[in-house]
Amino acid sequence: MLPIYLSIDGLYSYKTKQEIDFTRLTEAGLFGIFGKVGSGKSSILEAMTFALYGDTNRLNSKNRAYNMMNLNTDHLKIVFEFIGKENKKYSFEAGWKRNGKNFEKVSTIERKAYVYENGIKIPLESNDAEAVIGISYKNFNRTVIVPQGQFKEFLELKGTDRSIMMKELFNLDRYDLYQKAADLKSVNQSAVEQIQGSLQILTDYTEETFTALTQNLEHKEASLILKEKEFTVKEEEINKLHEMKKLQSDLIERRQELELMKQQKQAITDLKQRVILFEKTEKTFKNLLEAFEKESDNFQRQKEALKDTEEKLSKKKAQTEDVASEFEKINDEISKNEYYKILIADLENMLSYKKQLGELDTINNRLQKAAVFIENTKKNLDSKQKELTLKKEKTEYLKRQKADTGLLFAVEAWFQKNKTLNQHLEQSLKTIADKEVMQTELQQFFIEHQLKPETAKETLMQRNLELKEQIHQTQQHINQLNVQKQLVQYADELHNGIPCPLCGSEDHPHIMKSSDVTERLQEFDLQYEKLSKNLDQLIQLQNQLEIITGKTELLHHDLKNEKDTKEATLASLKKHQEAFIWDDFDAEDYTTFHTVKETSQKIEKEIENHEIELKSINSEVEKLQGELEKYTSAVKNIEKDASQKIGSIGQLKEAFKQLNTEDYLNLTKEDIVSKKEKITETVQTNEKRYTTLIALKEKVQTDMIRLEYQKTSQEKSVAEIENAVRTYSTSIQLLLHQNNFETIEEVLAILSLNLDTETCHKEIREFEDRFHLTEHTVAQLEEKTKNQQWDASYYDAVLLNYQQLKEGREILIGEIKSVKDQLEEHKKRSTEKKKLSEQLEQLDLRSKNLSVLMNLFKGSGFVNFISTQYLEELCCIANQRFERLTRGQLTLVINEDNDFEVVDHLNSDRQRSVKTLSGGQFFQASLCLALALAENTRSLNKNEKNFFFIDEGFGTQDNESVNLIFETLNNLRNENRIVGIISHVEELQERIPASVSVVKDSERGSLIKIN
């Protein structure tokens, strides 16, 4: 993660919006955020973590939103932009507002997350930063942004908790492979069982079965050729008879059809005449009758509509008179509304007036309580400042009593190195003796097996070749005897008339005679087993020889190196003893020096305790100063509110027009509101009724005009339609006379037939066409059958013979197809059987391998092993810096429980708990581990640059340690790493290339300035 921009508005001491452009700071590689204690430095880190995760270490979730918001603001907003996963730009925002009616209530916290795509801000589905950064909130505070007081948390974690953290940071769960191996074995076993079941089904598919099916197919195909010839001859004869039978049948059928059509011809003639009469009548009368009927219906509808309009007009006239009467009554009530409205306004002012008086009393009570609190705070502040002065004086006195730490370190280093060199010399002598004993033990191997060391390898190789040759010859004998035994078995089973299973012959003139070879076969099997066992033992001996030879060579090399080491140690010891230059101490008297060192360490420990107490008291002083400033500022704001309330009360009192304020001061709010609501209701009722009557009057007048016009229009329409009906009636009577109809009912009867003339004409044409075609067909068939004689019994005999031949042929074809299908299935199943057998061998081997893997991955042993490897790698990286910071005195190691310990090189390289480190040393160790963690997790986010923030810790370091730490941090810039520092120690600011200052203003709160 690489920060780009941060804005804070309304968080803790930040009253107004403050912004940080991290671009300029991160370009420097090393930057700092400086300010006095309580100025708001750590709030910058808290703003980042809250925007990302919605959580903070300072406060629990209860009433968190209210406590985080500045008391003099009505809202809080944080915007944090950074480069995250895959070098994409992200923006995380958090904010909420204060309740306008209740000061101690705030709205729900809203958190949003965005990603920038081509410069466009796109919302993310989740506001959880873990998906973007790749680490949880707790581990973010351990590896990226370390809040004040939690810098050493990773170092102090227990082994189990640290392993859990390592699993999350480095995704070590991917090494928990037991279940995957178990699942694979289960799948593998299912496949084995499935293949075994499939092979069980395929046991009948053998070479003998395939040969028998092939011979059967050849026999049936030869029979089919003969059947096909006989069937073809009979098929030609039956086809000719079929054709003759069809002609005879068609002639009979067509004669019957012609006779039926002659009977239907008169009905078709009658239909033709009815269609002609219907078409003429429809053409003359249909349209005229429809128009007459339509106009008659319209005349009745118009008469009914005219009657309805006259009734509505009568009702509207009566309604007009009622509206006029109501209008006169409402005018008297409307004239009183103006007085009521003034009275309502005065009552509303009275409610505000009483509310302002109550709020003024509350403000005065708050001022009294604030004055008492400020006085108590000033007293506490004076007491703490005096305590701080006394503690500083005592600390300075102790510092003057402490011995020179640098001198003690140098002398201690000499004694420890002297001790170390002596121990190394003793160890070398012991190692040389042990290795010489091991050389003697290795020579016993060659003596026991009667081998010469220089030719042992060639001797055993020659024995190996001889045994393999003997095994090969024995195997050949066994194979020959097995073949002979099988041939004897076949010969015993041969009988005349029964096919041979090898050649198929039923005649066996010379059956093989041979003796039983079982006993010889058993002798060779025992010999083969014995030779194989001897070969295995020889191979084991060859493997032991390889190991012994390697150990001998390695032992010789190690012995030479150890002797060289002994000589070098002797030379170093002599040179070191000559380097003792301190007159105050004796090179042979370590006890006196140790007493001086322990006294100095006790004084140093006492100074550290005093400095911790000083820091605590100083924090209390700054906290009291902050509270005093906060409440002094709050009192000014309250006094300002009181002045505004008094002005508002005066303005409200002058605004009354009808009411006397004294008459209403003793009334409750509910009484005033009730009276106001009753008057308001009266005014609203009168105005609503008046408005309703105006609208009703206008609507009635409009309806009267519309109905008058509608009546006139309908009277005119009725007269016109009545004339049209008379005209249509006259025309119908004239046409009846012209077409020889007595009454209109005759016409209606014809039209009621409702004939489909097109269908009728089509039916007539089709009948006439069929009649002529059938006559012609009958004549043709009579001509074709004139000289033919039909014999039904002969036809039946030929047909029966033909069907028998056809059935026999089809049965034979079916049998051939069945045999071919069986052969094809046999080939397919045999191939499948071979393939399944090969797969079963592979699956058996895979099952054994998976069992080995399951034993390896059982439990969490493998994951814990990987976690330990990662921790050891972290230790190695951290020690590159930690050993330098401690001047070679200390290094970090991992014990059997995966807990951190330190190796004290000044005390015989003994290991001890990290809890025994001083405050400064603990900070150094924590810093080195945190840098190593950040370096190892860098690849998780795929960023080109990596970012790390340190909050406090430099106050516990001496000048030389600070120099070493800053040299380390500066070197990180060459590794493309960015480090931010937060501190109240102003002297550090001169040593950092880019920085931000945070100052706390009594009026405007915390302010940020980029230097």
Side-chain angles (χ1 to χ4, degrees):
M1 186 198 75
L2 186 65
I4 299 174
Y5 167 82
L6 176 68
S7 72
I8 307 173
D9 188 4
L11 175 68
Y12 295 129
S13 57
Y14 289 85
K15 291 183 183 179
T16 58
K17 183 178 180 181
Q18 300 296 308
E19 299 175 286
I20 300 178
D21 181 2
F22 282 102
T23 307
R24 290 173 54 194
L25 299 175
T26 55
E27 285 175 354
L30 177 63
F31 67 91
I33 298 176
F34 295 95
K36 294 181 179 180
V37 175
S39 61
K41 305 183 299 300
S42 297
S43 298
I44 293 173
L45 297 190
E46 192 168 344
M48 293 181 187
T49 54
F50 194 83
L52 290 171
Y53 294 97
D55 203 351
T56 173
N57 290 324
R58 191 186 301 194
L59 299 168
N60 57 30
S61 58
K62 184 178 180 181
N63 213 18
R64 175 188 286 166
Y66 171 78
N67 291 321
M68 290 180 72
M69 189 184 293
N70 188 282
L71 293 173
N72 293 313
T73 60
D74 59 358
H75 69 281
L76 186 151
K77 178 135 187 214
I78 303 168
V79 178
F80 181 43
E81 295 180 353
F82 60 93
I83 299 296
K85 188 179 289 185
E86 298 177 354
N87 284 322
K88 290 184 179 181
K89 182 179 176 183
Y90 295 86
S91 177
F92 277 68
E93 302 175 4
W96 57 93
K97 295 180 180 179
R98 195 182 300 282
N99 190 303
K101 296 181 180 179
N102 189 335
F103 183 83
E104 295 183 354
K105 287 187 178 181
V106 296
S107 63
T108 304
I109 297 173
E110 291 186 5
R111 293 180 56 250
K112 299 177 182 177
Y114 304 89
V115 62
Y116 287 87
E117 297 284 356
N118 300 321
I120 301 172
K121 197 173 180 182
I122 301 172
L124 294 174
E125 292 183 2
S126 171
N127 58 14
D128 183 9
E130 187 170 349
V132 174
I133 300 175
I135 51 179
S136 66
Y137 167 72
K138 284 186 178 180
N139 290 333
F140 183 80
N141 282 336
R142 293 165 177 161
T143 61
V144 181
I145 294 180
V146 186
Q148 194 175 48
Q150 295 189 24
F151 195 69
K152 59 184 180 178
E153 183 181 351
F154 177 69
L155 194 58
E156 292 181 331
L157 280 175
K158 295 296 181 185
T160 303
D161 294 334
R162 191 183 294 106
S163 294
I164 292 170
M165 174 183 171
M166 296 294 290
K167 286 179 185 179
E168 180 182 327
L169 283 176
F170 298 104
N171 193 23
L172 299 185
D173 284 334
R174 67 184 187 272
Y175 295 110
D176 190 1
L177 303 175
Y178 176 80
Q179 191 56 47
K180 291 182 180 178
D183 292 343
L184 287 174
K185 186 173 181 182
S186 176
V187 172
N188 191 77
Q189 184 59 33
S190 297
V192 168
E193 293 171 358
Q194 185 176 354
I195 290 175
Q196 288 174 340
S198 299
L199 286 171
Q200 188 67 30
I201 297 171
L202 301 175
T203 52
D204 295 334
Y205 292 93
T206 61
E207 288 293 332
E208 292 78 6
T209 308
F210 182 80
T211 303
L213 286 171
T214 305
Q215 292 174 351
N216 189 15
L217 177 64
E218 292 172 354
H219 175 72
K220 289 184 181 294
E221 285 179 340
S223 299
L224 180 62
I225 293 171
L226 297 175
K227 284 280 184 185
E228 286 286 354
K229 291 179 181 178
E230 187 178 356
F231 177 77
T232 302
V233 173
K234 189 60 66 176
E235 188 177 33
E236 290 175 358
E237 183 180 2
I238 199 67
N239 286 338
K240 291 178 181 178
L241 290 172
H242 275 157
E243 185 178 354
M244 184 185 299
K245 182 180 180 182
K246 186 175 183 304
L247 289 173
Q248 293 290 340
S249 177
D250 286 348
L251 178 59
I252 294 169
E253 185 178 341
R254 290 292 178 269
R255 283 173 177 172
Q256 292 174 350
E257 185 178 342
L258 181 62
E259 188 62 31
L260 180 62
M261 292 177 71
K262 286 178 181 179
Q263 297 173 8
Q264 295 173 346
K265 192 171 183 181
Q266 184 59 42
I268 293 298
T269 303
D270 295 342
L271 176 61
K272 195 172 184 180
Q273 292 175 354
R274 286 199 306 275
V275 169
I276 292 170
L277 178 61
F278 176 79
E279 287 179 336
K280 179 181 178 183
T281 305
E282 184 182 43
K283 182 178 179 182
T284 305
F285 288 97
K286 185 176 180 181
N287 291 336
L288 186 62
L289 287 172
E290 288 177 351
F292 175 74
E293 185 178 357
K294 182 179 178 182
E295 287 297 332
S296 298
D297 292 342
N298 193 20
F299 177 69
Q300 292 299 325
R301 285 197 302 273
Q302 290 295 332
K303 283 181 69 177
E304 291 173 0
L306 177 61
K307 182 179 179 182
D308 183 59
T309 301
E310 289 172 345
E311 290 175 355
K312 288 180 180 178
L313 190 59
S314 176
K315 291 178 181 178
K316 285 293 176 185
K317 287 178 180 178
Q319 188 178 7
T320 302
E321 294 172 359
D322 293 340
V323 170
S325 175
E326 286 291 326
F327 206 83
E328 289 177 1
K329 295 177 183 178
I330 199 62
N331 276 333
D332 295 338
E333 294 296 328
I334 288 295
S335 62
K336 300 175 184 178
N337 275 7
E338 195 61 34
Y339 168 76
Y340 290 151
K341 289 179 180 179
I342 294 171
L343 192 57
I344 290 167
D346 281 356
L347 289 171
E348 288 176 347
N349 284 342
M350 177 55 67
L351 290 170
S352 299
Y353 181 74
K354 286 174 70 64
K355 181 181 177 183
Q356 296 286 351
L357 287 174
E359 290 176 353
L360 182 59
D361 290 340
T362 303
I363 290 171
N364 289 332
N365 290 333
R366 289 177 64 193
L367 284 172
Q368 291 175 4
K369 292 178 181 178
V372 173
F373 181 82
I374 289 171
E375 184 62 30
N376 292 334
T377 304
K378 285 180 178 179
K379 291 178 181 178
N380 291 336
L381 182 60
D382 290 341
S383 174
K384 287 294 178 183
Q385 285 174 336
K386 290 176 182 178
E387 185 182 352
L388 183 64
T389 303
L390 290 173
K391 191 65 70 175
K392 283 182 178 178
E393 292 173 355
K394 191 169 182 179
T395 303
E396 290 300 323
Y397 171 75
L398 288 171
K399 286 182 178 179
R400 291 193 294 272
Q401 297 298 315
K402 188 170 72 73
D404 184 2
T405 306
L407 175 64
L408 294 176
F409 275 140
V411 177
E412 176 73 21
W414 188 92
F415 275 111
Q416 291 301 324
K417 186 173 181 182
N418 187 66
K419 185 177 180 180
T420 301
L421 288 171
N422 279 303
Q423 288 174 344
H424 288 171
L425 181 59
E426 291 175 7
Q427 183 63 38
S428 291
L429 292 171
K430 184 177 181 301
T431 302
I432 289 169
D434 292 343
K435 290 187 182 296
E436 288 175 345
V437 171
M438 289 173 65
Q439 270 187 333
T440 303
E441 291 174 350
L442 290 175
Q443 291 298 322
Q444 288 297 319
F445 172 81
F446 296 98
I447 295 171
E448 289 174 4
H449 295 92
Q450 300 177 353
L451 295 171
K452 295 180 180 180
E454 59 274 9
T455 61
K457 188 174 183 180
E458 291 75 8
T459 302
L460 293 180
M461 182 62 72
Q462 182 61 35
R463 291 182 190 174
N464 185 294
L465 293 173
E466 291 172 357
L467 276 172
K468 286 182 178 178
E469 179 61 28
Q470 292 175 13
I471 289 170
H472 177 68
Q473 291 176 1
T474 304
Q475 182 65 55
Q476 285 183 332
H477 286 302
I478 291 171
N479 292 340
Q480 290 172 359
L481 290 171
N482 276 325
V483 171
Q484 189 174 350
K485 180 181 179 181
Q486 190 66 44
L487 289 173
V488 169
Q489 183 178 347
Y490 281 140
D492 291 342
E493 293 175 354
L494 287 178
H495 300 284
N496 286 329
I498 297 174
C500 174
L502 298 180
C503 64
S505 174
E506 296 180 358
D507 187 18
H508 318 296
H510 303 290
I511 298 175
M512 176 182 174
K513 303 293 182 180
S514 178
S515 60
D516 190 2
V517 297
T518 304
E519 290 183 2
R520 290 186 64 200
L521 188 60
Q522 289 176 349
E523 290 173 3
F524 277 108
D525 284 339
L526 291 172
Q527 184 180 346
Y528 181 84
E529 184 179 348
K530 181 178 179 182
L531 290 171
S532 297
K533 186 176 180 181
N534 291 340
L535 181 60
D536 291 338
Q537 291 173 351
L538 181 61
I539 291 171
Q540 290 179 5
L541 190 61
Q542 285 178 304
N543 292 336
Q544 289 177 9
L545 178 63
E546 289 291 336
I547 295 169
I548 295 294
T549 303
K551 285 184 178 180
T552 303
E553 293 174 356
L554 182 62
L555 192 61
H556 177 75
H557 180 267
D558 289 348
L559 191 58
K560 183 178 180 301
N561 289 342
E562 198 61 44
K563 289 178 179 179
D564 294 341
T565 302
K566 182 193 74 171
E567 296 300 325
T569 303
L570 284 169
S572 298
L573 185 60
K574 182 179 179 182
K575 184 178 179 181
H576 179 68
Q577 289 174 346
E578 293 171 353
F580 193 84
I581 58 173
W582 299 281
D583 297 332
D584 295 336
F585 301 102
D586 185 356
E588 303 299 327
D589 185 9
Y590 176 75
T591 305
T592 302
F593 164 74
H594 187 66
T595 303
V596 173
K597 188 186 80 167
E598 283 186 340
T599 303
S600 179
Q601 287 177 341
K602 288 178 181 178
I603 294 172
E604 184 177 359
K605 187 66 177 177
E606 195 172 351
I607 290 170
E608 287 179 2
N609 292 335
H610 276 70
E611 286 178 343
I612 292 170
E613 291 174 4
L614 275 172
K615 187 175 180 181
S616 174
I617 296 169
N618 194 43
S619 297
E620 291 179 15
V621 168
E622 290 178 350
K623 182 180 178 182
L624 288 170
Q625 288 174 339
E627 289 178 351
L628 189 60
E629 290 176 5
K630 181 174 72 174
Y631 278 95
T632 302
S633 174
V635 165
K636 290 179 181 179
N637 292 333
I638 293 170
E639 289 174 345
K640 185 178 178 181
D641 291 344
S643 300
Q644 292 175 351
K645 292 292 180 189
I646 292 170
S648 298
I649 289 168
Q651 291 174 358
L652 288 170
K653 191 169 183 181
E654 293 174 359
F656 289 110
K657 294 180 180 179
Q658 297 287 347
L659 296 181
N660 183 1
T661 57
E662 301 299 329
D663 296 339
Y664 284 84
L665 285 175
N666 294 327
L667 290 179
T668 64
K669 176 183 176 181
E670 288 73 17
D671 293 338
I672 296 171
V673 170
S674 176
K675 188 167 184 179
K676 174 196 159 191
E677 288 175 350
K678 288 179 181 178
I679 298 171
T680 303
E681 185 178 359
T682 300
V683 172
Q684 290 175 347
T685 301
N686 290 339
E687 289 180 346
K688 184 177 179 181
R689 181 59 183 159
Y690 181 78
T691 303
T692 302
L693 286 172
I694 289 291
L696 184 59
K697 182 179 179 182
E698 291 176 354
K699 185 176 183 305
V700 170
Q701 290 175 349
T702 302
D703 290 345
M704 285 286 292
I705 295 169
R706 179 179 58 78
L707 289 170
E708 289 286 355
Y709 175 78
Q710 184 176 331
K711 178 186 174 186
T712 304
S713 175
Q714 287 174 339
E715 288 174 343
K716 182 178 178 182
S717 178
V718 167
E720 290 175 351
I721 294 170
E722 188 177 10
N723 289 333
V725 169
R726 291 195 191 98
T727 302
Y728 282 125
S729 179
T730 303
S731 299
I732 290 170
Q733 291 299 324
L734 181 61
L735 285 172
L736 288 171
H737 179 70
Q738 291 174 352
N739 289 278
N740 299 320
F741 287 107
E742 294 294 330
T743 63
I744 191 67
E745 284 74 15
E746 296 179 23
V747 174
L748 293 173
I750 293 171
L751 292 175
S752 66
L753 296 174
N754 198 21
L755 295 176
D756 185 353
T757 55
E758 185 176 350
T759 302
C760 292
H761 283 302
K762 182 179 179 182
E763 182 183 350
I764 293 167
R765 284 196 305 274
E766 289 176 351
F767 178 82
E768 291 174 347
D769 291 342
R770 280 201 322 276
F771 186 83
H772 295 307
L773 178 61
T774 303
E775 281 183 327
H776 179 70
T777 302
V778 168
Q780 285 182 332
L781 290 171
E782 287 174 346
E783 181 64 27
K784 287 181 180 181
T785 58
K786 185 165 44 176
N787 298 320
Q788 292 180 354
Q789 292 292 330
W790 172 252
D791 188 346
S793 60
Y794 177 74
Y795 171 79
D796 292 339
V798 172
L799 181 60
L800 178 61
N801 189 15
Y802 170 77
Q803 289 174 344
Q804 290 172 347
L805 286 172
K806 184 178 180 182
E807 288 175 1
R809 172 178 167 272
E810 288 174 352
I811 289 170
L812 193 56
I813 290 172
E815 290 174 350
I816 291 172
K817 184 178 182 304
S818 176
V819 174
K820 284 183 177 179
D821 290 343
Q822 290 178 45
L823 280 170
E824 189 63 32
E825 180 68 14
H826 196 288
K827 291 178 184 177
K828 181 180 175 182
R829 294 299 184 182
S830 296
T831 304
E832 183 182 353
K833 183 178 180 181
K834 182 180 178 182
K835 186 177 179 182
L836 287 173
S837 298
E838 293 171 354
Q839 290 177 358
L840 186 60
E841 290 180 10
Q842 294 176 354
L843 289 171
D844 286 338
L845 178 61
R846 179 176 174 82
S847 181
K848 294 175 183 177
N849 293 336
L850 286 170
S851 295
V852 174
L853 288 175
M854 285 174 65
N855 290 329
L856 177 63
F857 298 138
K858 196 171 184 180
S860 300
F862 189 65
V863 177
N864 291 334
F865 169 75
I866 297 295
S867 177
T868 302
Q869 301 308 305
Y870 273 87
L871 278 174
E872 289 177 352
E873 184 181 355
L874 281 177
C875 261
C876 183
I877 296 170
N879 280 331
Q880 293 173 9
R881 299 184 176 98
F882 184 55
E883 194 169 2
R884 188 163 179 270
L885 289 175
T886 60
R887 304 170 186 85
Q889 298 171 17
L890 302 171
T891 53
L892 291 166
V893 293
I894 298 293
N895 65 17
E896 294 177 355
D897 298 324
N898 271 5
D899 287 328
F900 284 108
E901 291 185 348
V902 288
V903 178
D904 191 340
H905 297 299
L906 296 183
N907 288 290
S908 305
D909 290 340
R910 289 192 176 93
Q911 291 185 200
R912 53 188 172 92
S913 171
V914 291
K915 294 180 181 179
T916 62
L917 294 174
S918 67
Q921 291 170 334
F922 210 103
F923 171 77
Q924 292 170 346
S926 300
L927 172 63
C928 295
L929 276 173
L931 290 173
L933 259 180
E935 187 171 322
N936 272 271
T937 56
R938 178 178 180 181
S939 61
L940 295 177
N941 297 326
K942 301 180 181 178
N943 289 336
E944 295 176 357
K945 292 186 176 182
N946 200 20
F947 175 72
F948 181 70
F949 230 127
I950 306 170
D951 189 359
E952 298 297 351
F954 294 95
T956 61
Q957 305 295 301
D958 56 30
N959 289 334
E960 188 175 354
S961 296
V962 170
N963 289 334
L964 285 171
I965 290 172
F966 268 92
E967 184 180 344
T968 300
L969 297 178
N970 279 319
N971 288 335
L972 292 176
R973 286 188 286 177
N974 299 327
E975 302 171 16
N976 226 11
R977 300 279 297 282
I978 298 164
V979 178
I981 295 171
I982 288 185
S983 180
H984 66 279
V985 182
E986 295 182 358
E987 292 79 1
L988 298 178
Q989 190 167 353
E990 299 174 359
R991 310 179 66 166
I992 293 180
S995 64
V996 169
S997 294
V998 182
V999 295
K1000 192 170 182 182
D1001 186 89
S1002 59
E1003 294 292 333
R1004 296 183 293 166
S1006 295
L1007 304 174
I1008 294 174
K1009 177 185 176 184
I1010 296 181
N1011 300 319

